[in-house]
Amino acid sequence: MKLILQKGKVDKAKTADPGKKKQGTKKGAMEGMKMLAEKLESKPKEESVTYTCPMHPEIHDSKPGNCPKCGMKLIREKPRSAPEQNGGTKESSKKSEDMGDMAGMAMDDNSSDMENIKTAKANLGPIKTVANKFPPRTVRYDLYIADTTVNYGRKSKRAIAVNGQIPMPTLTFTQGDTALIYVHNNLDEETALHWHGLFLPNKMDGVPFLTQMPIKPHTTYIYKFPIVQHGTHWYHSHSGLQEQIGMYGAFIMNKRTEWDIPTLPVVISEWTDMKPEEVHRSLKNANDWFAIKKGTTQSYAEAIRTGHFKTKVANEWKRMNAMDVSDVYYEAFLINGKNQNEQPQFKAGDKVRLRIANGGASDYFWLKYAGGKITVVATDGNDVEPVEVDRLIIAVSETYDVVVTIPENKSYEFLVTPEDRTGSASLWLGKGEKVHAEKMPKLKYFAGMKMMNDMMDMSGNMVQMEGMKMQNQIMDMNTVMYPEVTGEENSKTEKKMKGMPGMQMSGDKSMAGMNMEAETADIVTLNYNMLRDPKKTTLPKGPWKELKFDLTGNMNRYVWTLDNKTVSESDKILIKKGENVRIILYNNSMMRHPMHLHGHDFRVINRQGEYAPMKNIIDIMPMERDTLEFAATEPGGDWFFHCHILYHMMSGMGRVFSYENSPPNPEIPDPKLAQRKLFSDDRVFHPMARIGIETNGSDGEIMLANTRYRFTTEWRIGFDKEMGYESESHFGRYIGRNQWLLPYIGWDFRKRTVDPLDKNVFGQSLSPGNNLFGQGNTKNFRQVFHLGVQYTLPLLIVADASLDHKGNVRFQLMREDIPVSKRLRFQFMVNTDKEYMAGFRYIVTKYFGLSTHYDSDMGYGAGLTLSY
């Protein structure tokens, strides 16, 4: 969580007395001298200044540092008027007020922002402008979409190129122009292009089956709309998963009078060698191959080795999978289609404007610059007052305009790092000796897991901290995982402290509260509270409509929703032209979500008041409650509001805003058909299979599942004819947001012959006998229908209770894929028919593993397991 005093923004002399608020510059020199004298006289009072942890307010320290429990930066507590009692700081009823004092300032105090803006403007200096010499005109582009082959990763793979290039061509216009774009679809599949963040006629918005029918293969479609905005935007396919494999590009709209400095469009993206459909299927089936590739499995062996066994158990006790900050493993990260992008044309003293768009499908990216501060001047196409930062994170589909300076005649790295820090891409500005930006160290996942355990209750809900305002990216919950802030995971200081008598180690192993290595200069990170529009953005007078949504979902089955409903499960949200719409979003999940509204900009309510910034994307971190406001100014139509992580959107995380009494859209001749097609994205069934072939027989499972429903067929076939065979099938529906409950119907068929003298470890004959309920089991022959229910218990154990049509009851406990080590998985099963199984599987590749297990009926076996 980024909760540190924002040093570097103000002169340290001005903050010598933490108990006083910063005084304005209107004071005269004599008054300033007087204030300094008063500070010197009151110096002993500085000893009473204390620091606390936002997550653990019971922590109090006389020095700045890190929380010994969670590793977060301690924040300065407000001066207390009450004296200390019993040798400690009085527990005040003003805890709520203290928790609102993020990073040493009140939530509504933007004095540090204003000083930052003042400094940034001074450092930018006067910038010349140049007027566009052409009057408003129609600008035509022809875009030819075709299949191609690329080798960005480790293999040659299919991609989609436009005019033979990836990213798609940068489209440039000037405010007042008319865009005329001919899209020639040379693919053998449908497509459509969405103009991200643009204000345009609804039928030109480019969402297939919502604002237009998709562009058929080998046909041409014309988009035509006026350019009424300015700023950095981008465009991409809104059809299926095409965006992942190359269909993204910059869309630049210049002002009539624009800055006269060198400018570069920068499109950031990622590449996977895996087909995006397979990526989505793997996520839906909770396949942990991506975690293996990223080294983020957080297995029990790793937990024990690093002293986090209790943290791992607590994590699974709350029925959570391993901690992660992104979903997909990518082979490569790209800047304008290259991992290393050289721009040698700049020289010492040049100021360069980077128009940055995150065209990635699922990754957030950290942005850092080796040549000094980054000055942020616009976001999502809207100007903001300049602010200087050391780094910023750009959400999926978000855009930022930043200005950087080339200090000397050298080549400076503008470093782009995905949030999970599994790789990077570099933009090199200037010519000469390379100056590298500091690489971002590996995340401390167990520290994040411990924080996640504290943040989530047994029902899977985020625990809201009393008195804490979680909003506008102020509190980055992942900060506990950042070694550059909380210290290395296995620091020398920690090892020393571990050996001290009576010293209790923190669960996250960072011991950052005792770690002097963490006491480095503050890193100024951009957050939405720092963004200030140059002009007032208050909405016009009119009626208000307020909407509230919880961002919900679960990682176990990769279902993402608003209020536990997908797009296909919800009605359109009706709005009226002329009204103001307020949306309050609460993120009740452990993932960040970049929420995007088509066709409109919204105010992000922050501490800038009337000057709140205008955006079309908002990054909402876990536990945040953010407020958006927009004016419903369009004449009509349906406008998509959705999470812009591609695989979250395709899972159904969105809504449709629809203007009341909108005229029929001529681009949608059959609205009912279009709606069925639109809803099919989150209703699609995904297949899964696991087939074991071992020396004692074959067992396996085939599954088809979508958001709510699941059909499975299991089998066991013994290679010894006496063992016979068994097949069991279930069809059920998941209940609840976390989908821990699955009622089902099904059937079970079994036929075999065994030696009646054989017994298992329960002393149960393999021939028919009584189960634990005293009922006769049907081991040799069974042909029954049954009703049952599965429920996921703590530790992710699945309890299964069923009743067949003959009145027999069976209860079973089972768990698969317990992560013993990075690639070794353990599984077990036991039921009231006195059957049991235990085994191991070693994952060699995504689809292949070595396995061995013991089955109470089939004995020992070893062989291989194929997974799909």
Side-chain angles (χ1 to χ4, degrees):
M1 294 171 64
K2 184 63 180 176
L3 295 171
I4 54 180
L5 292 175
Q6 299 189 19
K7 299 175 187 174
K9 291 185 176 183
V10 295
D11 191 283
K12 291 185 179 180
K14 294 180 181 179
T15 57
D17 184 358
K20 291 183 178 288
K21 287 190 175 182
K22 186 177 76 70
Q23 301 297 310
T25 56
K26 295 180 180 180
K27 301 291 183 181
M30 292 301 294
E31 189 170 354
M33 294 288 288
K34 181 179 178 182
M35 288 170 56
L36 179 59
E38 289 175 351
K39 289 179 182 179
L40 293 173
E41 290 175 4
S42 61
K43 188 174 181 180
K45 294 182 180 180
E46 292 184 4
E47 297 176 2
S48 65
V49 174
T50 57
Y51 298 81
T52 188
C53 174
M55 293 295 292
H56 299 95
E58 70 275 13
I59 298 296
H60 302 281
D61 201 320
S62 60
K63 296 180 180 179
N66 300 77
C67 175
K69 289 189 174 183
C70 67
M72 288 179 54
K73 281 278 187 179
L74 300 180
I75 64 171
R76 191 184 311 183
E77 294 188 278
K78 289 184 178 179
R80 302 173 185 270
S81 57
E84 293 185 352
Q85 297 178 353
N86 300 324
T89 303
K90 178 182 177 182
E91 287 294 325
S92 171
S93 61
K94 294 174 64 181
K95 182 175 76 170
S96 157
E97 184 181 350
D98 292 338
M99 289 299 99
D101 186 10
M102 310 315 301
M105 70 181 74
M107 294 294 290
D108 57 354
D109 177 12
N110 64 355
S111 56
S112 62
D113 300 332
M114 299 309 294
E115 183 157 342
N116 187 321
I117 290 169
K118 182 179 178 181
T119 301
K121 284 183 173 180
N123 290 337
L124 273 178
I127 296 180
K128 294 181 180 179
T129 59
V130 59
N132 190 295
K133 61 182 180 180
F134 298 105
R137 56 185 179 150
T138 296
V139 179
R140 173 172 169 168
Y141 285 95
D142 284 81
L143 303 178
Y144 296 87
I145 305 175
D147 280 324
T148 189
T149 301
V150 299
N151 194 2
Y152 289 132
R154 297 177 177 87
K155 302 175 183 177
S156 293
K157 288 292 180 178
R158 182 223 176 191
I160 300 177
V162 174
N163 295 4
Q165 67 180 72
I166 298 174
M168 299 190 288
T170 296
L171 307 185
T172 304
F173 302 89
T174 302
Q175 195 170 11
D177 287 345
T178 296
L180 181 63
I181 304 171
Y182 283 70
V183 178
H184 308 280
N185 182 14
N186 294 333
L187 299 172
D188 292 327
E189 62 188 66
E190 299 174 337
T191 191
L193 290 177
H194 167 58
W195 318 99
H196 183 102
L198 267 64
F199 307 155
L200 36 60
N202 183 247
K203 64 181 182 179
M204 294 286 102
D205 194 44
V207 182
F209 305 115
L210 184 66
T211 65
Q212 70 171 88
M213 297 303 288
I215 306 170
K216 295 291 184 182
H218 307 289
T219 64
T220 296
Y221 186 84
I222 301 172
Y223 293 95
K224 184 177 181 180
F225 47 86
I227 301 297
V228 299
Q229 304 157 262
H230 59 77
T232 301
H233 294 76
W234 66 298
Y235 67 113
H236 59 87
S237 171
H238 222 297
S239 188
L241 300 168
Q242 293 174 343
E243 178 190 323
Q244 177 74 88
I245 55 174
M247 290 192 69
Y248 46 82
F251 195 104
I252 307 299
M253 296 176 288
N254 290 310
K255 299 176 184 178
R256 299 303 303 174
T257 300
E258 193 58 84
W259 281 1
D260 187 18
I261 61 174
T263 301
L264 282 178
V266 176
V267 180
I268 306 169
S269 61
E270 74 276 270
W271 178 261
T272 171
D273 283 342
M274 192 179 294
K275 291 182 179 180
E277 293 80 10
E278 175 62 9
V279 170
H280 198 201
R281 191 190 68 81
S282 299
L283 293 169
K284 284 288 187 180
N285 293 327
N287 187 298
D288 63 355
W289 180 246
F290 295 137
I292 292 172
K293 294 289 286 183
K294 291 195 288 185
T296 60
T297 50
Q298 296 145 64
S299 66
Y300 275 98
E302 295 168 277
I304 293 170
R305 185 174 66 251
T306 57
H308 290 288
F309 177 74
K310 289 183 179 180
T311 299
K312 178 66 176 176
V313 172
N315 178 253
E316 294 198 338
W317 182 256
K318 291 190 175 183
R319 293 173 280 201
M320 290 188 285
N321 287 327
M323 175 72 185
D324 205 352
V325 296
S326 60
D327 303 327
V328 184
Y329 171 78
Y330 289 102
E331 274 78 16
F333 302 96
L334 308 172
I335 298 175
N336 294 344
K338 298 179 181 179
N339 180 259
Q340 300 294 309
N341 194 309
E342 304 272 354
Q343 298 292 330
Q345 65 270 32
F346 305 114
K347 60 184 184 302
D350 283 351
K351 295 185 185 299
V352 183
R353 179 179 186 171
L354 305 179
R355 293 180 174 266
I356 306 169
N358 182 353
S362 66
D363 269 318
Y364 283 62
F365 289 96
W366 283 106
L367 309 179
K368 299 174 66 176
Y369 178 54
K373 295 283 187 179
I374 298 172
T375 304
V376 177
V377 296
T379 180
D380 291 346
N382 295 289
D383 291 342
V384 294
E385 296 284 9
V387 289
E388 289 186 344
V389 296
D390 296 307
R391 65 183 188 180
L392 65 148
I393 193 166
I394 184 169
V396 178
S397 83
E398 198 169 30
T399 74
Y400 279 105
D401 286 32
V402 305
V403 176
V404 295
T405 301
I406 312 299
E408 301 178 48
N409 285 320
K410 297 179 181 180
S411 182
Y412 293 88
E413 184 179 26
F414 190 86
L415 180 65
V416 172
T417 308
E419 190 182 11
D420 62 13
R421 306 184 179 190
T422 53
S424 64
S426 300
L427 175 66
W428 296 94
L429 302 174
K431 185 178 181 180
E433 176 189 347
K434 288 190 179 300
V435 181
H436 293 265
E438 186 177 356
K439 301 297 181 184
M440 305 195 80
K442 183 179 178 181
L443 295 173
K444 303 187 294 182
Y445 279 100
F446 282 110
M449 181 183 287
K450 184 176 186 300
M451 173 67 74
M452 184 169 64
N453 293 344
D454 293 339
M455 289 167 54
M456 187 169 285
D457 63 20
M458 287 298 295
S459 298
N461 292 307
M462 305 300 293
V463 179
Q464 300 185 54
M465 304 299 174
E466 181 183 353
M468 292 176 65
K469 286 189 177 181
M470 303 284 288
Q471 61 184 17
N472 296 329
Q473 300 178 316
I474 300 172
M475 299 179 68
D476 184 351
M477 309 303 288
N478 291 335
T479 298
V480 297
M481 296 192 289
Y482 301 159
E484 69 273 19
V485 176
T486 57
E488 293 295 332
E489 188 154 26
N490 295 303
S491 67
K492 296 178 181 178
T493 307
E494 174 189 335
K495 293 176 181 178
K496 291 179 181 178
M497 301 309 298
K498 187 174 181 180
M500 293 180 64
M503 176 59 65
Q504 183 176 359
M505 293 297 291
S506 65
D508 72 355
K509 290 290 287 179
S510 70
M511 275 307 290
M514 301 293 182
N515 183 3
M516 294 302 103
E517 295 173 358
E519 295 306 310
T520 58
D522 289 349
I523 302 169
V524 179
T525 302
L526 183 74
N527 63 62
Y528 289 155
N529 250 4
M530 300 165 66
L531 299 178
R532 181 181 178 90
D533 199 287
K535 60 185 182 304
K536 291 183 179 181
T537 59
T538 48
L539 300 185
K541 290 183 178 181
W544 281 84
K545 184 183 187 76
E546 185 171 288
L547 303 165
K548 295 182 180 180
F549 297 106
D550 281 3
L551 311 184
T552 49
N554 69 79
M555 287 296 294
N556 293 10
R557 297 198 62 252
Y558 208 77
V559 173
W560 299 105
T561 51
L562 297 182
D563 292 336
N564 195 31
K565 289 184 179 180
T566 63
V567 171
S568 69
E569 296 170 334
S570 55
D571 296 325
K572 293 180 179 179
I573 300 170
L574 296 179
I575 57 177
K576 296 178 180 179
K577 180 177 172 63
E579 70 181 358
N580 295 320
V581 182
R582 178 179 293 119
I583 307 175
I584 301 173
L585 298 171
Y586 173 64
N587 188 356
N588 195 23
S589 80
M590 278 306 305
M591 292 290 292
R592 302 174 87 132
H593 298 287
M595 301 302 297
H596 170 51
L597 177 61
H598 284 217
H600 302 72
D601 278 346
F602 48 72
R603 304 179 75 234
V604 177
I605 304 305
N606 67 356
R607 66 177 170 222
Q608 305 301 333
E610 294 180 317
Y611 297 88
M614 301 296 294
K615 291 178 61 62
N616 60 64
I617 276 284
I618 181 170
D619 165 36
I620 304 182
M621 297 195 293
M623 291 178 61
E624 280 198 349
R625 190 180 305 277
D626 291 306
T627 301
L628 321 176
E629 295 177 352
F630 71 92
T633 55
E634 292 299 316
D638 296 330
W639 302 92
F640 206 8
F641 176 61
H642 63 93
C643 177
H644 218 290
I645 293 176
L646 181 60
Y647 303 103
H648 290 192
M649 181 189 73
M650 294 297 287
S651 297
M653 193 172 195
R655 287 290 187 275
V656 175
F657 284 88
S658 182
Y659 280 81
E660 290 186 13
N661 304 316
S662 293
N665 184 347
E667 299 292 322
I668 306 290
D670 188 342
K672 290 185 178 179
L673 172 64
Q675 184 183 70
R676 287 199 301 272
K677 292 287 190 178
L678 179 70
F679 288 175
S680 66
D681 282 345
D682 65 70
R683 289 177 173 175
V684 66
F685 278 84
H686 297 268
M688 185 277 285
R690 182 175 295 174
I691 303 171
I693 303 174
E694 299 184 356
T695 54
N696 61 344
S698 173
D699 66 304
E701 176 186 23
I702 294 176
M703 179 177 73
L704 284 173
N706 70 357
T707 303
R708 306 295 177 190
Y709 294 94
R710 189 186 78 177
F711 174 77
T712 60
T713 293
E714 303 173 26
W715 71 86
R716 285 164 289 280
I717 303 173
F719 290 158
D720 184 334
K721 64 179 182 180
E722 290 185 349
M723 295 178 183
Y725 54 87
E726 178 181 6
S727 176
E728 187 171 345
S729 299
H730 297 152
F731 178 74
R733 187 185 193 281
Y734 286 97
I735 305 295
R737 175 173 65 85
N738 295 295
Q739 301 195 349
W740 292 330
L741 183 66
L742 178 76
Y744 65 83
I745 58 174
W747 62 277
D748 187 356
F749 180 77
R750 171 183 292 194
K751 185 177 181 180
R752 60 183 175 175
T753 58
V754 295
D755 185 344
L757 298 179
D758 288 344
K759 295 182 181 296
N760 62 28
V761 295
F762 290 112
Q764 169 70 55
S765 168
L766 299 184
S767 62
N770 290 334
N771 63 23
L772 292 181
F773 298 115
Q775 298 172 317
N777 67 43
T778 52
K779 285 179 173 291
N780 275 359
F781 184 78
R782 179 185 302 161
Q783 189 170 328
V784 296
F785 289 96
H786 54 223
L787 299 173
V789 61
Q790 291 182 356
Y791 185 74
T792 302
L793 300 170
L795 295 178
L796 298 171
I797 296 170
V798 177
D800 187 323
S802 64
L803 173 68
D804 68 35
H805 76 277
K806 294 183 179 180
N808 292 312
V809 176
R810 182 173 62 176
F811 182 74
Q812 178 174 286
L813 296 175
M814 181 178 71
R815 182 171 172 194
E816 298 177 329
D817 289 339
I818 300 173
V820 179
S821 68
K822 290 182 179 180
R823 289 179 180 260
L824 186 64
R825 303 292 179 265
F826 174 69
Q827 60 181 338
F828 72 89
M829 180 277 293
V830 60
N831 64 33
T832 53
D833 282 344
K834 300 182 181 179
E835 298 170 323
Y836 53 89
M837 178 277 295
F840 292 91
R841 179 170 63 98
Y842 183 81
I843 301 171
V844 179
T845 71
K846 184 177 187 294
Y847 304 107
F848 173 79
L850 303 176
S851 57
T852 181
H853 82 288
Y854 179 80
D855 186 285
S856 59
D857 291 342
M858 298 172 62
Y860 289 101
L864 56 88
T865 295
L866 304 177
S867 300
Y868 174 73

